[in-house]
Amino acid sequence: MKLIKYIFVLGIVSVGLSSCEDWLDEDPKYSVDNTVVFDSQETAKQALDACYGYLTTQDCFGQGVYEMSVGGSGLSWSQTNGGEPDRYASLNATPAGDAVLWAWRGLYKAIQECNTFIVNMNKGSLSAELKENYTAQASFIRGLCYYYLAMMWGDVPLRTEPSAHDGISEPKSPFTDVVEQIFTDWKYAYDYLPEDGTHTDGYIDKMGVAAYLAKLNWILSCNPDLAEHKSDYLNDAKYWCDIVYGKYSLQPRYADLFVNHVQDSPESIFQLNFTTSSDYSWNRLNWIFAADNASQGTAYQRIRSSKAFHDLFRGTYPGDPRYDATFLTRWYDVKKGSSYHLVSDSVYTYPYKSYKSKSTSRVADAVAYIPYDQVADATNPTVEELTTLQEQFYTLNTATGEKKVIDLVGQFATSVGDHAGWPLWKKQIDFNCQAQQSNNNIILYRYADFLLLMADVYNELNETGKAIGLVNEVLSRARTSVTPAAAQPADFPGNLTKDELRDKIFYERLFELAAEPEMYIDIRRGGTKTLKMALEIVNRHAITYEHSEGEKQKQNPDQRFRDRYFGADATFCGKVTDENFLKKNLHLPIPHSELSSNDGMSAADQNYGY
């Protein structure tokens, strides 16, 4: 199949530009007569490509939306330096934050473009079939943007007509009204996309829309505020799930989902494609997730995994092949070229620490690590266990007999003034990145996600045995991602109860889909209950508590490299006890710029707690 890269054709589908930012501030319109644009299939397709292309800008999934979804999820870490990443990683995002604004603005820019496209496409003279096809695709994109807006912000302005700068006044619409618009757009897309449409990477097809309708009904069934309609949502979700099931398949090797130029993956339901040849279609995720010496590009290691989630994953499934595709914990310094030394030029992060072992004849490099197989609970090593186990890692001066223990507690449970205490999120690291631009494509929705949500639907409908089988399809692929097949993750046993399976699916989705585009949404889908479940992964982690609230940390309150302890007092209870904190963090703040420029909204319309 042909891989589509969204490259904006400036002379046809956009206004004259002086810079990327100026362009993004313009209302979507066309530089030639609309009749000309929409009377030609070629130029109409270029206009449709621009609708898709808005999803790939830096404001949207090229950085802003993805950054807020993963960075603000509650399971990521960033420097505690008072900057914006510190605030959203601390679940204290501010309305003035750049990334919050980028995400909001990027989604609404794509909506504006789709609104204009839909109106003008239907005024043109092209065939009814082509009009329906192209309008269906633009409707899907608009619905997708409102899906992210509704799930991340709640009540938001609902704009379905082209707008100009002097007519942007629009009050917030209730969440349920926004959801109804998503249903309208996606049902139209499903009805009017051709039955025989073939899946082409970069464009949505009929089955892809059906999969999104399954997801929307499922996520609404999880929403405690809509509990009276739960049964209806579940049955509708099952209807769409049954249509989609078997129409896709799992990528045989899990790690191959996150490589350069993923195309024709059997697992891709919908993906976005990027190119470094465009000044507007930017994938800056390597810049956000990689360390500067981990790839050829320029990177900032702005967002990392928390130690707590890393240990939950590694301790739950030791040897899981997904681990090495999810976390980067050691790598060669690529900027040193081929003259590296195996250990001394390698970079190590949690749960590893490199050191020099002294002898009378030479200096040999060695690596200390957390011995997970020697602790009582591999998902949660304690400070006391680290203190004991670090005795096995030491330097020895053979001339004097002096033995110096490597301080694992000091490295991982107190501030050491660097990034080494946290692993990198690996999935969006592009080892061939140039400068800040990556060529990596992003799968927004994949079949494993679908299978896990389908399992949740069947479980809630009391078909727990069927649900276990669906989960086990995902677990089996994980094990067979390597040769010989791994022992973990083991299949779920067939005797799980409905309640047990519900909780296990929640955590399994975290493991399978960690650091992917809907991390923020997934964690909050069940309201404060599921958000609490995720944050208590952090709060019950002993090393995290010590690093955040321990006595040594209290003596250095301004350290830039600390962990976070969420929504509880300073005692180590492992719980999130502040219900207001949880309620606030169900949604992101509405950007100040929206409240100040939109006459239909005021400061009173800001989301709860901000």
Side-chain angles (χ1 to χ4, degrees):
M1 294 180 186
K2 182 179 179 182
L3 180 66
I4 305 300
K5 293 286 187 180
Y6 311 117
I7 303 176
F8 297 102
V9 184
L10 303 182
I12 297 176
V13 298
S14 63
V15 297
L17 312 179
S18 60
S19 71
C20 178
E21 189 67 24
D22 290 341
W23 173 54
L24 291 175
D25 284 339
E26 291 286 348
D27 297 315
K29 54 189 176 183
Y30 301 90
S31 60
V32 295
D33 184 84
N34 287 339
T35 303
V36 175
V37 172
F38 293 98
D39 286 346
S40 161
Q41 180 174 351
E42 179 183 357
T43 53
K45 180 179 177 299
Q46 290 169 352
L48 177 62
D49 285 350
C51 294
Y52 280 104
Y54 264 76
L55 298 176
T56 68
T57 62
Q58 177 182 329
D59 278 7
C60 212
F61 290 98
Q63 179 176 344
V65 177
Y66 209 120
E67 177 175 353
M68 288 309 305
S69 185
V70 178
S73 66
L75 295 179
S76 290
W77 179 86
S78 188
Q79 279 193 61
T80 50
N81 60 2
E84 184 185 8
D86 179 8
R87 291 192 291 271
Y88 61 60
S90 300
L91 301 190
N92 189 31
T94 65
D98 286 340
V100 172
L101 172 60
W102 291 341
W104 174 279
R105 183 174 64 188
L107 292 166
Y108 272 110
K109 290 296 183 183
I111 288 168
Q112 282 185 297
E113 184 76 5
C114 290
N115 288 341
T116 302
F117 178 90
I118 290 168
V119 168
N120 286 302
M121 185 71 201
N122 286 286
K123 289 179 179 178
S125 61
L126 294 169
S127 69
E129 182 181 9
L130 193 65
K131 285 182 181 180
E132 289 170 352
N133 187 334
Y134 283 14
T135 301
Q137 292 191 60
S139 296
F140 163 75
I141 297 168
R142 181 171 67 184
L144 181 70
C145 292
Y146 275 123
Y147 169 81
Y148 277 90
L149 285 163
M151 300 307 165
M152 296 176 77
W153 279 273
D155 301 345
V156 297
L158 188 57
R159 299 182 174 114
T160 58
E161 298 292 334
S163 62
H165 282 304
D166 59 357
I168 62 172
S169 176
E170 188 71 47
K172 287 201 304 186
S173 290
F175 172 80
T176 51
D177 289 356
V178 181
V179 165
E180 187 57 38
Q181 182 61 46
I182 301 168
F183 273 123
T184 298
D185 280 338
W186 285 355
K187 286 177 179 176
Y188 180 91
Y190 180 80
D191 288 341
Y192 288 100
L193 284 170
E195 290 284 351
D196 60 351
T198 56
H199 176 68
T200 302
D201 289 327
Y203 294 116
I204 195 65
D205 63 3
K206 197 177 191 74
M207 279 301 102
V209 177
Y212 269 103
L213 283 164
K215 171 172 278 200
L216 180 57
N217 278 288
W218 164 71
I219 207 164
L220 294 174
S221 77
C222 299
N223 190 324
D225 294 335
L226 303 174
E228 62 184 302
H229 303 294
K230 179 173 181 175
S231 177
D232 292 335
Y233 287 131
L234 283 171
N235 283 297
D236 285 350
K238 180 180 182 298
Y239 170 81
W240 293 108
C241 284
D242 289 344
I243 288 174
V244 174
Y245 181 70
K247 300 299 192 300
Y248 301 87
S249 58
L250 296 170
Q251 181 78 29
R253 185 172 178 270
Y254 182 80
D256 287 344
L257 291 162
F258 315 105
V259 298
N260 286 345
H261 302 294
V262 175
Q263 55 183 301
D264 300 333
S265 169
E267 191 163 338
S268 175
I269 294 173
F270 180 61
Q271 74 178 44
L272 297 175
N273 302 314
F274 292 85
T275 173
T276 57
S277 64
S278 170
D279 291 331
Y280 313 108
S281 174
W282 278 39
N283 181 342
R284 295 187 77 207
L285 300 182
N286 184 82
W287 180 80
I288 291 205
F289 292 112
D292 188 49
N293 60 354
S295 73
Q296 295 293 343
T298 302
Y300 183 57
Q301 52 200 8
R302 184 168 172 142
I303 302 171
R304 288 179 171 236
S305 168
S306 65
K307 293 195 285 280
F309 180 70
H310 169 277
D311 283 358
L312 180 71
F313 192 126
R314 181 163 178 162
T316 301
Y317 290 139
D320 186 336
R322 296 176 298 182
Y323 173 88
D324 286 334
T326 302
F327 304 101
L328 186 65
T329 58
R330 45 186 172 176
W331 62 90
Y332 299 134
D333 186 337
V334 298
K335 296 184 178 178
K336 289 191 176 182
S338 60
S339 61
Y340 60 79
H341 181 274
L342 182 62
V343 175
S344 62
D345 286 342
S346 291
V347 182
Y348 294 85
T349 66
Y350 186 90
Y352 300 98
K353 175 179 173 57
S354 62
Y355 66 98
K356 294 186 181 297
S357 179
K358 296 180 180 179
S359 69
T360 55
S361 58
R362 62 186 179 86
V363 175
D365 298 301
V367 179
Y369 51 88
I370 295 177
Y372 291 96
D373 59 345
Q374 299 178 51
V375 301
D377 178 1
T379 70
N380 192 4
T382 68
V383 173
E384 292 75 20
E385 286 172 323
L386 284 187
T387 301
T388 300
L389 292 170
Q390 70 188 15
E391 295 287 335
Q392 63 188 277
F393 304 107
Y394 56 86
T395 62
L396 177 64
N397 189 319
T398 55
T400 65
E402 181 184 5
K403 178 180 176 181
K404 184 177 181 181
V405 172
I406 303 305
D407 185 6
L408 290 183
V409 176
Q411 176 71 14
F412 299 130
T414 60
S415 181
V416 294
D418 60 34
H419 288 85
W422 297 269
L424 299 177
W425 291 122
K426 186 179 180 182
K427 289 178 178 176
Q428 290 301 327
I429 294 178
D430 179 359
F431 292 98
N432 296 308
C433 181
Q434 299 299 314
Q436 293 183 12
Q437 291 198 39
S438 168
N439 251 336
N440 276 6
N441 303 320
I442 300 172
I443 300 178
L444 288 191
Y445 188 11
R446 55 189 180 86
Y447 192 51
D449 179 349
F450 170 83
L451 289 174
L452 291 173
L453 73 84
M454 185 176 179
D456 202 39
V457 168
Y458 269 89
N459 186 51
E460 294 302 318
L461 291 172
N462 299 311
E463 296 189 49
T464 299
K466 168 78 169 176
I468 291 171
L470 291 166
V471 175
N472 287 344
E473 289 186 44
V474 178
L475 300 179
S476 175
R477 186 275 299 275
R479 293 193 303 275
T480 58
S481 287
V482 293
T483 304
Q488 294 286 346
D491 281 351
F492 284 3
N495 60 351
L496 292 172
T497 67
K498 178 179 178 179
D499 290 342
E500 289 171 337
L501 182 58
R502 181 188 300 117
D503 286 351
K504 285 179 74 67
I505 288 174
F506 175 80
Y507 292 110
E508 192 55 44
R509 288 185 62 84
L510 294 181
F511 298 145
E512 173 71 24
L513 303 167
E516 295 188 40
E518 291 192 24
M519 195 171 183
Y520 184 98
I521 297 170
D522 216 353
I523 284 172
R524 290 155 177 80
R525 70 177 184 272
T528 57
K529 179 181 178 180
T530 52
L531 177 58
K532 182 181 174 76
M533 289 171 68
L535 298 186
E536 288 183 351
I537 295 170
V538 176
N539 278 20
R540 64 175 174 259
H541 190 245
I543 295 174
T544 295
Y545 177 79
E546 181 66 19
H547 200 236
S548 175
E549 302 294 335
E551 290 302 320
K552 290 185 179 179
Q553 294 307 316
K554 291 177 181 178
Q555 296 168 15
N556 298 283
D558 297 326
Q559 288 284 354
R560 294 181 298 129
F561 299 93
R562 295 179 61 186
D563 270 314
R564 296 165 176 84
Y565 193 64
F566 293 120
D569 58 31
T571 59
F572 186 35
C573 63
K575 302 292 185 182
V576 180
T577 56
D578 187 341
E579 289 298 321
N580 289 327
F581 176 83
L582 290 169
K583 183 178 176 182
K584 169 187 174 181
N585 277 289
L586 291 178
H587 295 116
L588 295 171
I590 297 172
H592 273 323
S593 62
E594 179 71 24
L595 295 176
S596 62
S597 65
N598 183 348
D599 292 338
M601 298 174 67
S602 69
D605 290 309
Q606 182 57 272
N607 281 338
Y608 175 84
Y610 293 100

